[in-house]
Amino acid sequence: MSTAQSMQNQELEYVEQTALVLLGMGEDAAAKVLRHFSRDETQRVTRAMAKLSGIKSEKAKNVIQKFFEDFRQHSGIRGASKDYLSNTLRKALGNDLAKGLLNDLYGDEIRNNMQRLQWVDSEILARFIANEHPQMQAIFLAYLPPESSSAVLKNLPQDYHDELLFRIARIQDIDHQVAGDLNELIERCIEQISVTQSAPLSGVKQVADIINRFDGDRASLMEMLRLHDEDVVNEIEQNMFDFMVLGRQSEDTMDRLVQQIPMELWAAALKGAEITLQQAIKRSMPQRMIKTLEDEMQVRGAIPRSRVESARQEIMQTVRELNEMNEIDLQLYQEPTVE
Protein backbone atom coordinates (compact mmCIF):
# COMPACT_ATOMS: atom_id res chain seq x y z
CA MET A 1 0.00 0.00 0.00
CA SER A 2 1.33 3.47 -0.85
CA THR A 3 2.18 6.09 1.77
CA ALA A 4 -0.66 8.26 0.52
CA GLN A 5 -3.15 5.43 0.96
CA SER A 6 -1.81 4.73 4.45
CA MET A 7 -2.31 8.34 5.48
CA GLN A 8 -5.88 8.27 4.16
CA ASN A 9 -6.69 5.20 6.20
CA GLN A 10 -5.17 6.73 9.32
CA GLU A 11 -7.74 9.52 9.12
CA LEU A 12 -10.31 6.96 10.25
CA GLU A 13 -10.01 5.31 13.65
CA TYR A 14 -9.88 1.50 13.68
CA VAL A 15 -13.45 1.33 14.98
CA GLU A 16 -14.57 3.55 12.08
CA GLN A 17 -12.73 1.36 9.59
CA THR A 18 -14.51 -1.64 11.07
CA ALA A 19 -17.84 0.17 10.78
CA LEU A 20 -17.11 0.98 7.14
CA VAL A 21 -16.32 -2.66 6.31
CA LEU A 22 -19.50 -3.85 8.08
CA LEU A 23 -21.64 -1.34 6.21
CA GLY A 24 -20.18 -2.63 2.96
CA MET A 25 -21.04 -6.25 3.85
CA GLY A 26 -24.79 -5.83 3.91
CA GLU A 27 -27.21 -6.48 6.77
CA ASP A 28 -27.08 -10.29 6.98
CA ALA A 29 -23.29 -10.64 6.84
CA ALA A 30 -22.74 -7.73 9.24
CA ALA A 31 -25.21 -9.25 11.73
CA LYS A 32 -23.27 -12.54 11.73
CA VAL A 33 -20.03 -10.69 12.45
CA LEU A 34 -21.56 -8.60 15.26
CA ARG A 35 -22.64 -11.77 17.07
CA HIS A 36 -18.99 -12.44 17.87
CA PHE A 37 -18.36 -8.97 19.36
CA SER A 38 -18.55 -8.21 23.07
CA ARG A 39 -21.24 -5.84 24.32
CA ASP A 40 -18.76 -2.95 24.51
CA GLU A 41 -17.39 -3.66 21.04
CA THR A 42 -20.89 -3.87 19.59
CA GLN A 43 -21.86 -0.53 21.11
CA ARG A 44 -18.71 1.22 19.88
CA VAL A 45 -18.98 -0.16 16.35
CA THR A 46 -22.72 0.46 15.95
CA ARG A 47 -22.30 4.04 17.18
CA ALA A 48 -19.56 4.51 14.59
CA MET A 49 -21.82 2.97 11.91
CA ALA A 50 -24.61 5.40 12.79
CA LYS A 51 -22.30 8.44 12.67
CA LEU A 52 -20.32 7.47 9.58
CA SER A 53 -21.06 9.79 6.68
CA GLY A 54 -19.37 11.75 3.94
CA ILE A 55 -16.77 9.05 3.22
CA LYS A 56 -15.30 9.42 -0.24
CA SER A 57 -15.43 6.34 -2.44
CA GLU A 58 -11.64 6.28 -2.81
CA LYS A 59 -11.14 6.23 0.97
CA ALA A 60 -13.78 3.47 1.36
CA LYS A 61 -12.07 1.47 -1.36
CA ASN A 62 -8.69 1.75 0.39
CA VAL A 63 -10.11 0.62 3.75
CA ILE A 64 -11.91 -2.37 2.26
CA GLN A 65 -8.88 -3.28 0.13
CA LYS A 66 -6.68 -3.31 3.25
CA PHE A 67 -9.21 -5.54 5.01
CA PHE A 68 -9.03 -8.14 2.25
CA GLU A 69 -5.23 -7.95 2.16
CA ASP A 70 -5.16 -8.69 5.91
CA PHE A 71 -7.71 -11.46 5.40
CA ARG A 72 -5.60 -13.17 2.75
CA GLN A 73 -2.54 -13.03 5.00
CA HIS A 74 -4.23 -14.45 8.09
CA SER A 75 -6.87 -16.84 6.74
CA GLY A 76 -6.06 -20.48 6.19
CA ILE A 77 -8.02 -23.67 5.76
CA ARG A 78 -11.63 -23.28 6.88
CA GLY A 79 -12.57 -24.63 10.31
CA ALA A 80 -13.51 -28.27 10.64
CA SER A 81 -16.92 -29.41 11.83
CA LYS A 82 -17.27 -30.54 15.45
CA ASP A 83 -17.62 -34.20 14.51
CA TYR A 84 -14.64 -34.10 12.16
CA LEU A 85 -12.49 -32.30 14.72
CA SER A 86 -13.55 -34.64 17.54
CA ASN A 87 -12.82 -37.82 15.56
CA THR A 88 -9.50 -36.51 14.22
CA LEU A 89 -8.20 -35.43 17.64
CA ARG A 90 -9.21 -38.71 19.25
CA LYS A 91 -7.35 -40.68 16.61
CA ALA A 92 -4.29 -38.48 16.86
CA LEU A 93 -4.10 -37.90 20.62
CA GLY A 94 -6.26 -40.50 22.29
CA ASN A 95 -9.45 -39.93 24.24
CA ASP A 96 -8.01 -38.23 27.33
CA LEU A 97 -5.86 -35.61 25.60
CA ALA A 98 -8.48 -35.01 22.91
CA LYS A 99 -11.16 -34.48 25.56
CA GLY A 100 -9.19 -31.71 27.26
CA LEU A 101 -8.47 -29.91 24.01
CA LEU A 102 -12.05 -30.23 22.79
CA ASN A 103 -13.37 -28.88 26.08
CA ASP A 104 -11.17 -25.79 25.70
CA LEU A 105 -12.36 -25.26 22.14
CA TYR A 106 -16.04 -25.76 23.03
CA GLY A 107 -15.68 -23.49 26.05
CA ASP A 108 -14.59 -20.65 23.77
CA GLU A 109 -17.53 -21.36 21.49
CA ILE A 110 -19.96 -21.32 24.41
CA ARG A 111 -18.58 -18.02 25.67
CA ASN A 112 -19.03 -16.50 22.21
CA ASN A 113 -22.63 -17.76 22.08
CA MET A 114 -23.29 -16.45 25.57
CA GLN A 115 -22.23 -12.98 24.44
CA ARG A 116 -25.41 -12.95 22.36
CA LEU A 117 -27.54 -13.35 25.52
CA GLN A 118 -26.09 -10.39 27.41
CA TRP A 119 -28.64 -8.11 25.69
CA VAL A 120 -31.62 -10.17 26.91
CA ASP A 121 -33.52 -9.06 30.00
CA SER A 122 -32.41 -11.05 33.07
CA GLU A 123 -35.99 -11.86 34.08
CA ILE A 124 -36.65 -13.44 30.69
CA LEU A 125 -33.48 -15.55 30.92
CA ALA A 126 -34.44 -16.66 34.44
CA ARG A 127 -37.88 -17.78 33.26
CA PHE A 128 -36.35 -19.65 30.34
CA ILE A 129 -33.96 -21.76 32.45
CA ALA A 130 -36.27 -22.16 35.47
CA ASN A 131 -37.31 -25.69 34.49
CA GLU A 132 -33.83 -26.90 33.55
CA HIS A 133 -31.85 -29.25 35.81
CA PRO A 134 -29.99 -27.28 38.54
CA GLN A 135 -26.65 -28.42 37.11
CA MET A 136 -27.54 -27.05 33.67
CA GLN A 137 -28.71 -23.81 35.31
CA ALA A 138 -25.38 -23.58 37.12
CA ILE A 139 -23.39 -24.14 33.92
CA PHE A 140 -25.56 -21.58 32.11
CA LEU A 141 -24.86 -18.98 34.82
CA ALA A 142 -21.16 -19.88 34.92
CA TYR A 143 -20.69 -18.95 31.26
CA LEU A 144 -22.71 -15.73 31.36
CA PRO A 145 -20.78 -12.49 32.03
CA PRO A 146 -20.78 -11.95 35.84
CA GLU A 147 -23.06 -8.89 35.81
CA SER A 148 -25.66 -10.73 33.68
CA SER A 149 -25.31 -13.90 35.74
CA SER A 150 -25.91 -12.01 38.99
CA ALA A 151 -29.05 -10.36 37.59
CA VAL A 152 -30.43 -13.70 36.37
CA LEU A 153 -29.72 -15.35 39.74
CA LYS A 154 -31.70 -12.61 41.48
CA ASN A 155 -34.78 -13.61 39.43
CA LEU A 156 -34.50 -17.32 40.27
CA PRO A 157 -36.08 -18.77 43.47
CA GLN A 158 -34.11 -17.46 46.44
CA ASP A 159 -34.29 -20.70 48.43
CA TYR A 160 -31.74 -22.41 46.19
CA HIS A 161 -29.40 -19.55 45.31
CA ASP A 162 -26.82 -21.15 47.57
CA GLU A 163 -27.12 -24.50 45.79
CA LEU A 164 -26.60 -22.92 42.37
CA LEU A 165 -23.59 -20.94 43.57
CA PHE A 166 -22.10 -24.07 45.16
CA ARG A 167 -22.57 -25.97 41.90
CA ILE A 168 -20.90 -23.14 39.96
CA ALA A 169 -17.98 -23.12 42.41
CA ARG A 170 -17.45 -26.86 41.77
CA ILE A 171 -17.34 -26.55 37.98
CA GLN A 172 -13.85 -27.19 36.61
CA ASP A 173 -14.72 -27.99 33.02
CA ILE A 174 -17.53 -29.56 31.02
CA ASP A 175 -17.27 -32.36 28.50
CA HIS A 176 -18.22 -31.93 24.88
CA GLN A 177 -21.60 -33.66 25.34
CA VAL A 178 -22.65 -31.17 28.03
CA ALA A 179 -21.21 -28.36 25.91
CA GLY A 180 -23.43 -29.52 23.06
CA ASP A 181 -26.48 -29.56 25.34
CA LEU A 182 -25.66 -26.07 26.58
CA ASN A 183 -25.22 -24.73 23.05
CA GLU A 184 -28.57 -26.27 22.13
CA LEU A 185 -30.15 -24.55 25.15
CA ILE A 186 -28.65 -21.22 24.11
CA GLU A 187 -29.96 -21.59 20.55
CA ARG A 188 -33.45 -22.48 21.83
CA CYS A 189 -33.37 -19.46 24.11
CA ILE A 190 -32.37 -17.11 21.30
CA GLU A 191 -34.97 -18.60 18.95
CA GLN A 192 -37.78 -18.25 21.48
CA ILE A 193 -36.83 -14.71 22.42
CA SER A 194 -36.62 -13.64 18.79
CA VAL A 195 -40.19 -14.89 18.26
CA THR A 196 -41.84 -13.68 21.46
CA GLN A 197 -39.94 -10.62 22.64
CA SER A 198 -40.91 -7.14 21.58
CA ALA A 199 -39.15 -3.93 22.46
CA PRO A 200 -40.70 -2.41 25.62
CA LEU A 201 -41.85 1.18 25.23
CA SER A 202 -44.18 3.29 27.32
CA GLY A 203 -45.75 5.79 24.96
CA VAL A 204 -47.26 7.83 27.80
CA LYS A 205 -43.90 8.13 29.60
CA GLN A 206 -42.19 9.06 26.34
CA VAL A 207 -44.73 11.86 25.72
CA ALA A 208 -44.28 13.10 29.31
CA ASP A 209 -40.51 13.24 28.84
CA ILE A 210 -40.90 15.07 25.52
CA ILE A 211 -43.24 17.68 27.00
CA ASN A 212 -40.99 18.16 30.04
CA ARG A 213 -38.19 19.09 27.66
CA PHE A 214 -40.36 21.04 25.19
CA ASP A 215 -39.29 24.69 24.91
CA GLY A 216 -42.58 25.86 23.40
CA ASP A 217 -46.02 26.50 24.91
CA ARG A 218 -46.58 23.37 27.02
CA ALA A 219 -49.99 24.54 28.26
CA SER A 220 -51.43 24.94 24.77
CA LEU A 221 -49.98 21.58 23.77
CA MET A 222 -51.60 19.87 26.77
CA GLU A 223 -54.94 21.52 26.03
CA MET A 224 -54.83 20.26 22.44
CA LEU A 225 -54.02 16.77 23.69
CA ARG A 226 -56.91 17.01 26.16
CA LEU A 227 -59.28 17.42 23.21
CA HIS A 228 -58.21 13.97 22.04
CA ASP A 229 -58.62 12.16 25.36
CA GLU A 230 -58.87 13.52 28.90
CA ASP A 231 -57.77 10.23 30.50
CA VAL A 232 -54.62 10.03 28.38
CA VAL A 233 -53.65 13.57 29.41
CA ASN A 234 -54.15 12.64 33.08
CA GLU A 235 -51.76 9.70 32.58
CA ILE A 236 -49.23 12.00 30.89
CA GLU A 237 -49.40 14.46 33.79
CA GLN A 238 -48.79 11.63 36.28
CA ASN A 239 -45.61 10.78 34.36
CA MET A 240 -44.40 14.38 34.24
CA PHE A 241 -43.06 14.26 37.82
CA ASP A 242 -39.53 14.58 36.49
CA PHE A 243 -36.66 16.18 38.43
CA MET A 244 -36.25 18.88 35.80
CA VAL A 245 -39.75 20.31 36.49
CA LEU A 246 -38.27 21.88 39.64
CA GLY A 247 -36.64 24.45 37.40
CA ARG A 248 -40.00 26.08 36.60
CA GLN A 249 -41.65 26.22 40.04
CA SER A 250 -42.80 29.32 41.92
CA GLU A 251 -40.65 30.94 44.59
CA ASP A 252 -43.05 29.78 47.34
CA THR A 253 -42.91 26.16 46.17
CA MET A 254 -39.12 26.14 45.97
CA ASP A 255 -38.79 27.79 49.40
CA ARG A 256 -40.87 24.98 50.90
CA LEU A 257 -38.84 22.28 49.12
CA VAL A 258 -35.53 23.77 50.17
CA GLN A 259 -36.69 23.69 53.80
CA GLN A 260 -38.03 20.13 53.53
CA ILE A 261 -35.30 18.28 51.61
CA PRO A 262 -31.94 17.47 53.29
CA MET A 263 -28.80 19.12 51.92
CA GLU A 264 -27.09 15.78 51.18
CA LEU A 265 -29.94 14.83 48.83
CA TRP A 266 -29.65 18.11 46.93
CA ALA A 267 -25.88 17.65 46.69
CA ALA A 268 -26.27 14.20 45.11
CA ALA A 269 -29.27 15.03 42.91
CA LEU A 270 -27.71 18.16 41.38
CA LYS A 271 -24.61 16.30 40.19
CA GLY A 272 -24.58 16.59 36.40
CA ALA A 273 -27.80 18.67 36.34
CA GLU A 274 -28.18 21.48 33.83
CA ILE A 275 -26.81 24.84 35.01
CA THR A 276 -30.21 26.51 34.56
CA LEU A 277 -31.83 23.95 36.87
CA GLN A 278 -29.07 24.35 39.48
CA GLN A 279 -29.49 28.11 39.37
CA ALA A 280 -33.28 27.88 39.72
CA ILE A 281 -32.94 25.77 42.86
CA LYS A 282 -30.15 27.90 44.36
CA ARG A 283 -32.26 31.05 43.94
CA SER A 284 -34.44 29.86 46.82
CA MET A 285 -31.45 29.25 49.09
CA PRO A 286 -29.71 31.82 51.31
CA GLN A 287 -26.06 32.44 50.47
CA ARG A 288 -24.88 30.41 53.46
CA MET A 289 -26.88 27.39 52.23
CA ILE A 290 -25.61 27.80 48.66
CA LYS A 291 -22.02 27.78 49.96
CA THR A 292 -22.73 24.64 51.99
CA LEU A 293 -24.31 22.95 48.95
CA GLU A 294 -21.39 23.80 46.66
CA ASP A 295 -18.86 22.62 49.25
CA GLU A 296 -20.78 19.36 49.71
CA MET A 297 -20.88 18.74 45.95
CA GLN A 298 -17.16 19.44 45.62
CA VAL A 299 -16.20 17.17 48.51
CA ARG A 300 -18.26 14.29 47.10
CA GLY A 301 -16.43 14.40 43.77
CA ALA A 302 -17.64 11.93 41.14
CA ILE A 303 -20.46 9.66 42.34
CA PRO A 304 -22.23 6.75 40.61
CA ARG A 305 -25.02 7.65 38.23
CA SER A 306 -27.33 5.26 40.11
CA ARG A 307 -26.82 7.31 43.31
CA VAL A 308 -27.74 10.52 41.45
CA GLU A 309 -30.91 8.94 40.05
CA SER A 310 -31.83 7.53 43.46
CA ALA A 311 -31.48 10.98 45.08
CA ARG A 312 -33.62 12.59 42.38
CA GLN A 313 -36.31 9.95 42.77
CA GLU A 314 -36.34 10.45 46.54
CA ILE A 315 -36.72 14.21 46.09
CA MET A 316 -39.55 13.78 43.59
CA GLN A 317 -41.33 11.38 45.94
CA THR A 318 -41.28 14.11 48.59
CA VAL A 319 -42.49 16.62 45.98
CA ARG A 320 -45.38 14.33 45.03
CA GLU A 321 -46.39 13.82 48.68
CA LEU A 322 -46.30 17.56 49.46
CA ASN A 323 -48.32 18.29 46.33
CA GLU A 324 -50.96 15.69 47.23
CA MET A 325 -51.25 17.22 50.72
CA ASN A 326 -51.68 20.67 49.08
CA GLU A 327 -48.62 21.98 50.89
CA ILE A 328 -47.13 23.11 47.58
CA ASP A 329 -48.65 24.08 44.25
CA LEU A 330 -46.61 22.10 41.75
CA GLN A 331 -46.71 23.41 38.19
CA LEU A 332 -46.05 20.72 35.61
CA TYR A 333 -46.36 23.44 32.98
CA GLN A 334 -47.20 27.16 33.06
CA GLU A 335 -50.96 27.48 32.70
CA PRO A 336 -52.44 30.57 30.99
CA THR A 337 -53.83 33.26 33.31
CA VAL A 338 -56.53 35.94 32.89
CA GLU A 339 -56.97 39.32 34.60
Side-chain angles (χ1 to χ4, degrees), residues 163-309:
E163 179 185 345
L164 284 175
L165 291 174
F166 181 73
R167 287 176 178 269
I168 293 172
R170 298 288 300 219
I171 294 173
Q172 297 295 326
D173 54 36
I174 60 174
D175 63 37
H176 69 280
Q177 181 59 53
V178 176
D181 293 341
L182 181 55
N183 270 326
E184 183 183 338
L185 176 64
I186 296 168
E187 291 299 331
R188 282 194 285 112
C189 180
I190 292 171
E191 182 179 355
Q192 179 174 322
I193 289 166
S194 65
V195 172
T196 61
Q197 189 179 23
S198 58
L201 177 65
S202 170
V204 169
K205 182 65 171 69
Q206 182 75 354
V207 170
D209 289 341
I210 291 172
I211 294 175
N212 270 332
R213 292 156 178 79
F214 184 61
D215 288 335
D217 189 341
R218 297 185 189 88
S220 296
L221 190 56
M222 293 296 285
E223 287 305 312
M224 294 300 292
L225 284 171
R226 207 177 295 276
L227 294 176
H228 289 276
D229 193 311
E230 180 84 20
D231 292 336
V232 170
V233 172
N234 290 337
E235 284 188 61
I236 293 171
E237 288 180 340
Q238 287 299 311
N239 280 272
M240 286 177 67
F241 280 81
D242 187 279
F243 186 68
M244 66 183 302
V245 303
L246 298 184
R248 51 177 180 264
Q249 300 308 309
S250 68
E251 185 177 338
D252 289 342
T253 294
M254 288 310 303
D255 286 347
R256 180 71 176 86
L257 293 178
V258 165
Q259 295 170 13
Q260 181 75 23
I261 294 166
M263 182 61 66
E264 59 267 19
L265 269 185
W266 286 121
L270 288 174
K271 281 284 187 178
E274 296 178 4
I275 296 298
T276 52
L277 175 58
Q278 294 190 35
Q279 291 172 340
I281 292 173
K282 289 178 181 178
R283 275 198 296 270
S284 294
M285 295 180 175
Q287 281 300 122
R288 174 185 52 80
M289 189 177 289
I290 293 174
K291 180 68 166 57
T292 302
L293 173 64
E294 291 174 346
D295 289 345
E296 178 79 12
M297 291 176 69
Q298 185 173 3
V299 167
R300 285 171 175 262
I303 63 175
R305 182 71 186 176
S306 59
R307 176 70 186 99
V308 175
E309 291 301 326

Side-chain angles (χ1 to χ4, degrees), residues 49-115:
M49 291 170 73
K51 293 179 181 178
L52 210 58
S53 63
I55 304 298
K56 295 181 179 180
S57 59
E58 186 63 23
K59 183 180 292 184
K61 177 183 174 183
N62 291 336
V63 171
I64 294 173
Q65 182 179 346
K66 184 177 185 302
F67 166 75
F68 281 108
E69 287 174 357
D70 289 343
F71 175 79
R72 280 194 296 269
Q73 291 175 13
H74 293 94
S75 63
I77 299 172
R78 296 189 62 178
S81 69
K82 289 182 186 176
D83 289 339
Y84 177 89
L85 191 59
S86 177
N87 292 333
T88 302
L89 288 174
R90 281 195 172 88
K91 290 177 181 178
L93 305 174
N95 282 336
D96 291 338
L97 290 176
K99 179 180 177 181
L101 184 53
L102 286 167
N103 288 345
D104 288 342
L105 294 172
Y106 294 156
D108 290 340
E109 181 184 6
I110 291 169
R111 278 183 281 273
N112 287 334
N113 281 338
M114 277 295 190
Q115 292 288 341

Side-chain angles (χ1 to χ4, degrees), residues 23-41:
L23 288 171
M25 286 181 173
E27 295 177 2
D28 293 340
K32 291 178 181 177
V33 174
L34 285 172
R35 287 178 187 172
H36 298 283
F37 286 13
S38 68
R39 184 189 184 100
D40 179 63
E41 289 168 342

